[in-house]
Amino acid sequence: MTILKRGLSRRRVLQTGLAGIIGTGISPMIFSRGAWAQEFCNNPTGDTVTFGLNLPLTGAYAEEGADEQKAYELAIKHLNGEGDGGLISVLTPTALKGNGVLGKKVTFVTSDSQTKSDVARAGATRMIERDGAIMITGGSSSGEAIAVQGLCQELGVIFMAGLTHSNDTTGKDKRRYGFRHFFNAYQSGVGLAPVLAEAYGADRRAYHLTADYTWGWTQEESIKNATEALGWQTVEAVRTPLGAADFSQYLTPILNSGADVLILNHYGTDMVNSLTQAVQFGMRDRQANGKDFQIVTPLISELMAKGAGENVKGVYGTSNWHWNLQDPGTIAFTKSFGAAYGSPPSQAAHTAYVQALLYADAVERAGTFYPPEVIKALEGFEFDGMGNGPTLYRAEDHQCIKNVLVVQGNESPTSEFDVLNIVQEIPREDVAYDPAMFGGELGPAEPVPMCA
Amino acid sequence: MAAMPRNDLLLFLGFTLVVLAMPIWLQPFGAAYPDLLQRFMIFGIFAVGFNILFGLTGYLSFGHAAFFGVGSYAAVWSFKLLSLDVIPALIFAIVVSGVFALVIGFISLRRSGIYFSILTLAFAQMSYNMAYSVLTPITNGETGLQLTLSDPRYLDRAIFEAVPGQPVPTLLGQSLGGFAGFYFCAGFLIIAFFIAQRITGSPFGMMLKGIKTNQTRMHYTGFNTKPYTLAAFVISGMYAGLAGALLAVTDPLAGAERMQWTASGEVVLMTILGGAGTLVGPVIGAWLIKYFENIFSAINDSILRRFFDFLPDGVDSAMVTVASKFVGEGWFLTLGLVFVIIVIFLPGGIMEGVRRIAHLFNRAPKAPGKANPQPQPAE
């Protein structure tokens, strides 16, 4: 090997290069100064205002994402005074006028979050920085919601969470700029456990299969706590990767575990697959410990029930909302959604729609898009008419407190959409809890002046 | 500057200029917003580093995303435990990914060719699964590792009081959001490019090229190639670690997805698309893929409808239906088509296209070997 040629010239090149790099250190200040002149991030100055829809259009929760997108498009139509107005007329109290938000027409941009936290964050950043989104909303996974919520706090943009059921979203990882209308795993546990104990007895042995991320972890914990308090035992809790197509390797050990209930802490396609495979394994025809083997899906939606078909019959779970409720809000929304898309809305669509309306309403009440004022308008807001009965947006953790539905797979569906029956509506007093229970800190409301 | 050939110097200066002026010349393409620009820089570094191993040495690693991910995790842990300052985070990330590359390289480099690729792929997949489920306390699994208000940050706490608010990485107190983050990353891309350029031109680089051309012959002439390949592997791994750390700097969240095999495959695509073995090629490939990923995936039906508005009624909706398959979530299809076309017609990547065009304008016969460079197919 030849000896390296050393010389002054190389050093000089290095020096020149370094000088250039130091020079670049000054330029960012010149570039970003213009951004600070703006009062807050993406202050809408024209006659339109942009919502950023961050939706999983691919991945394990893609179907929920697609349904959410339909709901957002419908909500934006209604906000702009097009279509039949949907829930605008039934929301009480309301400040919405059906002429956009603060007189500005609502437009939207979308981004495919691929059911991945990383991608969701990149998409949200793009919509904020490039497309000037005033608010980010959507998501079907708690991993995404928590990741995007942290980002929105950094950038000072409000995040209206879509479908996220983890306790952490408004617990350990809550943020001042993040709001959740959907219920959470703790409420599922409190609502579901008594129904399970009544149906299956108080001396059951449960085996959990859990999606391995924040939502799965907290739901497993919540269901475990709630069922064990009623006398159940937990044999084992096994974590499965999100988006696993084949669950057979996790299902085989259950047969000899001595468990007589299988709890599937899965969602979306994962749940459709694991439930279908569990039934194919003959679990529902089995006897264990002298009892009929049972399967429970603590969080279930119409989309998944439809996907699982026959296999979901008789299976218990909880839902945030169901299109078959008989209050004026639900009737109006189901009618409006059905007229536009030809199918009843899922709970994901419902929460997405409601979040968009609630944000718009809060802006109207605040009289400005300035996020700290909008946050104040949302915190502690008590409303009714959105299909969940009287609802409170709690100021302490930005969690909506409302009724929770316990549902069961319909044994004799009358149509392809009639797949879930409402067993019980748990009143919101019973599922409310101390906001300090899960820890976490909301952080400040004042936006940091770094939005580009 | 006698030690640096004039052409190299011009290339370096030109590259620096193009990079620093990106916020201006990318404006018409709709890509001049900080987040995407930062990604251009970060994946540029990743691809430049990968090219040292693949383009220069001829070893196709299918697991480079592992080092990228390790760099990210190391940086975020440095933010959590030590300080929000980026300097310790970057150093820590480069060191950790270097050590990690040393271990994996030491084992994988016992084989070459397809067996080496498979070994690296296996290691990367192991790392991914570890990050995803086994090492959840360290990596926080699918949820991703994030900064929180309650992180210890021993170094920061020892010096000053904790400031309220969401913690964000800083450079000596200066926040790195937006364009500041872009210029910070751009500085690193330029340094990374410079080092790669020096390596290519150095005797060490000659050795690597020799290994790529014919390793057996190198052995016969009495060289022990192992230290060279290992050095190239570690350097390449450190580049990936730096890129991963920068991604954590601009966006302090480390998710396991960035270690998945698709991410490893992506950097291979970037390098081949741009032109393996060339200096600028991999960077251009990285920019192109990131551009596609961010811009094409964001085009939805309403944008298309506006675009095809000038066509008569029936035709425009037909065009929208066809085109919508290639944008939005279908952007992979477009990327795949571009990739197929480039590999078939320009086996040397985009850089070969550039060379052919330059050749068209520059017909004057020079040294016969130099004027018509043979296309270098990607292996």
Side-chain angles (χ1 to χ4, degrees), chain B residues 170-183:
Chain B
T170 56
L171 174 65
L172 307 172
Q174 166 89 23
S175 143
L176 284 173
F179 280 104
F182 161 68
Y183 283 104

Side-chain angles (χ1 to χ4, degrees), chain A residues 113-122 141 143-144 147 212-213 242, chain B residues 43 46 64-66 68-70 72-73 124-125 127-129 131-133 139-145 247 253-266 290:
Chain A
S113 65
Q114 302 174 19
T115 324
K116 290 177 182 171
S117 315
D118 257 10
V119 183
R121 232 170 125 106
S141 130
E144 277 178 18
D212 195 0
Y213 73 104
L242 178 62
Chain B
F43 285 92
F46 191 19
H64 246 52
F68 190 82
V70 165
S72 285
Y73 282 121
Q125 201 56 24
S127 316
Y128 167 69
N129 278 325
Y132 201 92
S133 47
T139 61
N140 207 19
E142 137 77 24
T143 319
L145 194 61
L247 194 59
L253 170 128
E257 297 94 37
R258 60 181 68 166
M259 297 176 95
Q260 217 176 354
W261 66 271
T262 47
S264 299
E266 201 180 53
K290 284 291 141 188

Side-chain angles (χ1 to χ4, degrees), chain B residues 278-353:
Chain B
T278 61
L279 275 166
V280 189
V283 182
I284 295 178
W287 293 349
L288 207 67
I289 287 188
K290 284 291 141 188
Y291 181 80
F292 269 76
E293 182 184 303
N294 282 275
I295 305 296
F296 269 67
S297 69
I299 298 177
N300 53 28
D301 278 7
S302 57
I303 298 176
L304 282 176
R305 214 160 285 141
R306 230 173 298 145
F307 183 76
F308 288 116
D309 218 19
F310 64 93
L311 291 167
D313 259 1
V315 183
D316 72 337
S317 56
M319 284 304 284
V320 168
T321 320
V322 173
S324 65
K325 297 284 173 281
F326 291 89
V327 296
E329 63 260 43
W331 71 273
F332 277 112
L333 205 57
T334 319
L335 183 68
L337 278 179
V338 171
F339 190 70
V340 167
I341 291 168
I342 288 200
V343 168
I344 290 178
F345 296 104
L346 295 170
I350 292 168
M351 286 314 284
E352 194 197 330

Side-chain angles (χ1 to χ4, degrees), chain A residues 1 4 9-10 13 21 28 31 110 117-118 121-122 125-126 129-130 146 154 175 212-214 217 242 452, chain B residues 1 3 30 33 35 132-133 140 142-143 146 166 168 180 183 194 198 203 228 251 253 258 294-295 298 300:
Chain A
M1 187 182 167
L4 290 169
S9 49
R10 175 175 301 163
V13 172
I21 288 147
F31 269 93
T110 54
S117 315
D118 257 10
R121 232 170 125 106
T125 319
R126 186 187 67 233
E129 289 185 347
R130 190 187 63 158
I146 289 170
E154 266 170 46
R175 294 283 184 270
D212 195 0
Y213 73 104
T214 169
W217 303 336
L242 178 62
Chain B
M1 309 215 173
Y33 61 99
D35 180 60
Y132 201 92
S133 47
N140 207 19
E142 137 77 24
T143 319
Q146 274 201 74
Q166 177 77 5
V168 283
Y183 283 104
F194 179 72
R198 299 309 293 159
Y228 292 97
D251 184 3
L253 170 128
R258 60 181 68 166
N294 282 275
I295 305 296
N300 53 28

Side-chain angles (χ1 to χ4, degrees), chain A residues 179-236:
Chain A
F179 290 87
R180 170 164 68 180
H181 171 262
F182 210 67
F183 70 140
N184 66 21
Y186 174 82
Q187 296 177 319
S188 279
V190 172
L192 186 60
V195 177
L196 290 181
E198 198 181 308
Y200 300 146
D203 55 342
R204 285 286 188 156
R205 293 165 61 78
Y207 193 105
H208 289 255
L209 284 187
T210 303
D212 195 0
Y213 73 104
T214 169
W215 167 65
W217 303 336
T218 61
Q219 176 161 306
E220 177 192 299
E221 187 195 343
S222 295
I223 301 291
K224 223 161 135 177
N225 291 344
T227 49
E228 281 174 6
L230 294 171
W232 285 29
Q233 279 171 299
T234 307
V235 180
E236 210 174 341

